[in-house]
Amino acid sequence: MVPQAPNRPPRLRRSRADIRERLLDSALVEFGAKGFDGASTRAIARRADAHQPQINYHFASKEALWFAAVDHLFELFGRAMDGIVYPEPDDLPAVADALAEVIRRFVRFTAAHPELHRIMMHEATEASERLTWVIARHVRPFYGALMGVWGRLRAAGIAAPIDDAMIHHVLTGAVSFPFVSAPAVRLLTGTEPTDPAWIERHADGVVATFLPGL
Amino acid sequence: MVPQAPNRPPRLRRSRADIRERLLDSALVEFGAKGFDGASTRAIARRADAHQPQINYHFASKEALWFAAVDHLFELFGRAMDGIVYPEPDDLPAVADALAEVIRRFVRFTAAHPELHRIMMHEATEASERLTWVIARHVRPFYGALMGVWGRLRAAGIAAPIDDAMIHHVLTGAVSFPFVSAPAVRLLTGTEPTDPAWIERHADGVVATFLPGL
DNA sequence: GTCTATAATTAGATAGAC
DNA sequence: GTCTATCTAATTATAGAC
């Protein structure tokens, strides 16, 4: 019974203050690529250059890590919408301009952070506590804001003829699917959805299509 | 050493000729809800009222089951498009009518079989052999057909101003996202995406939005 | 707080009785 | 072809040295 095996590799200690943030970023990529069940905590830790048990140390569980990572990402999304000026509801052309700006920022954010809607897509295919939580906490505010103006924009002939109850998901699908499916876009079209010109063309197209009366 | 334990449950034999098809249908639901990695062969077998090893008997592996199930589903999709009359390419109004009919059938099929684009979404978030295979085998033909007419419809002022390289994914996202995310739609809007009236309103909205010059 | 070791569970696949 | 039992590997989580 030797107290220390002779050829055990030396214990490397990699102390870093930002390990929590690195784990959050890594979790977003892995959850976005594989979904909650498909992603493994080992892969998340490896990508963050950490050890698997550190996830249970810095977060309570795999699920707690998921909630923290999604909170973090929606915080970034909210920040991307900062500074939008919401005009008087009766000034419909100004409302349309503001919505166009929201759509453009939505496109750019989704291009920069495809993980958000990748995770939403993975989750939205099946009812779950995680889905209920993310919708109540993060999605409903944006849905409510769009509901408040879409009907009036349609009546004024500015917005495309899509039902109020459907516009949120139709618009979200049109905006985010090319970035969520970026690997498929590359295979199918040979174009690069992270190219800035690609992103702006996509934003122009979506705005012109969904707000044709602008 | 008793040759037969006394209280072992009796061996129930459930022989069914349609077990292969039941496994395919079950696999589509489970792969659609959880993705390839998240779905378990035990859950797939349970839903088909079969035993887990029967998957390895009737199919070579979990992956072979995935390929067979996706092949089966795209076969149904192709059948849903049967009978579409493709007019002369120069008769643009007739081409637009045909495309509108394709979109309507696409909407109805996705409503009836949300598993197809659920599986596509799960797969498209990460490059893989499965993604490469399904795009080359099943997606590219439809992409090619749309490419052939979209530019001319745009030039004629019939189609919405979306780039040729983007229209496939923008349209697919707009059509399928509400059905792929049906659990989210129910939570967020309180409406039911499988309701026939809902489906037709969605089809009308997408056709009018993407083919405004019709 | 980081690390090794491992417990407890579950995964896909296989062997062989029936 | 169906079924029970089981193998091997991978999973999340925990215990305890450092």
Side-chain angles (χ1 to χ4, degrees), chain B residues 119-134:
Chain B
I119 291 174
M120 289 300 297
M121 297 252 184
H122 284 301
E123 294 299 324
T125 55
E126 192 179 40
S128 71
E129 266 194 41
R130 293 192 303 275
L131 178 62
T132 306
W133 174 87
V134 71

Side-chain angles (χ1 to χ4, degrees), chain B residues 5-214:
Chain B
N7 46 2
R8 170 135 35 116
R11 187 186 167 101
L12 292 175
R13 191 182 175 85
R14 292 165 297 181
S15 185
R16 274 190 314 274
D18 62 344
I19 187 63
R20 231 190 104 96
E21 283 177 33
R22 292 178 60 89
L23 284 172
L24 285 176
D25 289 340
S26 171
L28 289 171
V29 175
E30 294 290 325
F31 285 136
K34 307 252 192 188
F36 181 81
D37 292 307
S40 89
T41 55
R42 277 179 167 78
I44 293 169
R46 195 182 316 125
R47 178 182 293 274
D49 196 25
H51 293 260
Q52 183 254 345
Q54 287 181 273
I55 286 176
N56 293 85
Y57 177 79
H58 288 280
F59 304 90
S61 65
K62 181 185 182 181
E63 201 165 44
L65 171 61
W66 186 93
F67 285 110
V70 170
D71 259 346
H72 172 61
L73 191 47
F74 270 96
E75 205 173 298
L76 292 181
F77 181 66
R79 218 172 295 163
M81 293 295 168
D82 264 4
I84 297 269
V85 181
Y86 292 98
E88 288 295 312
D90 290 331
D91 186 358
L92 282 178
V95 169
D97 282 339
L99 180 54
E101 177 64 15
V102 167
I103 292 175
R104 287 178 195 284
R105 294 196 192 189
F106 182 21
V107 168
R108 290 178 201 128
F109 182 86
T110 307
H113 301 279
E115 298 81 20
L116 189 148
H117 280 91
R118 280 182 189 153
I119 291 174
M120 289 300 297
M121 297 252 184
H122 284 301
E123 294 299 324
T125 55
E126 192 179 40
S128 71
E129 266 194 41
R130 293 192 303 275
L131 178 62
T132 306
W133 174 87
V134 71
I135 284 184
R137 184 175 172 93
H138 293 300
V139 181
R140 192 169 287 286
F142 287 95
Y143 172 73
L146 186 56
M147 285 304 86
V149 300
W150 187 255
R152 304 168 60 118
L153 290 173
R154 274 195 63 192
I158 297 173
I162 293 178
D163 259 42
D164 287 20
M166 297 164 186
I167 181 59
H168 175 88
H169 290 90
V170 175
L171 181 59
T172 301
V175 165
S176 66
F177 189 59
F179 301 119
V180 166
S181 305
V185 170
R186 290 185 193 104
L187 284 171
L188 197 58
T189 73
T191 63
E192 179 50 57
T194 58
D195 174 46
W198 203 105
I199 296 166
E200 290 307 313
R201 273 206 307 281
H202 180 45
D204 290 343
V206 170
V207 167
T209 299
F210 284 85
L211 295 173
L214 201 73

Side-chain angles (χ1 to χ4, degrees), chain A residues 52-68:
Chain A
Q52 182 255 344
Q54 287 181 273
I55 286 176
N56 293 85
Y57 176 79
H58 289 281
F59 304 90
S61 65
K62 180 185 182 181
E63 200 165 45
L65 171 63
W66 186 93
F67 284 110

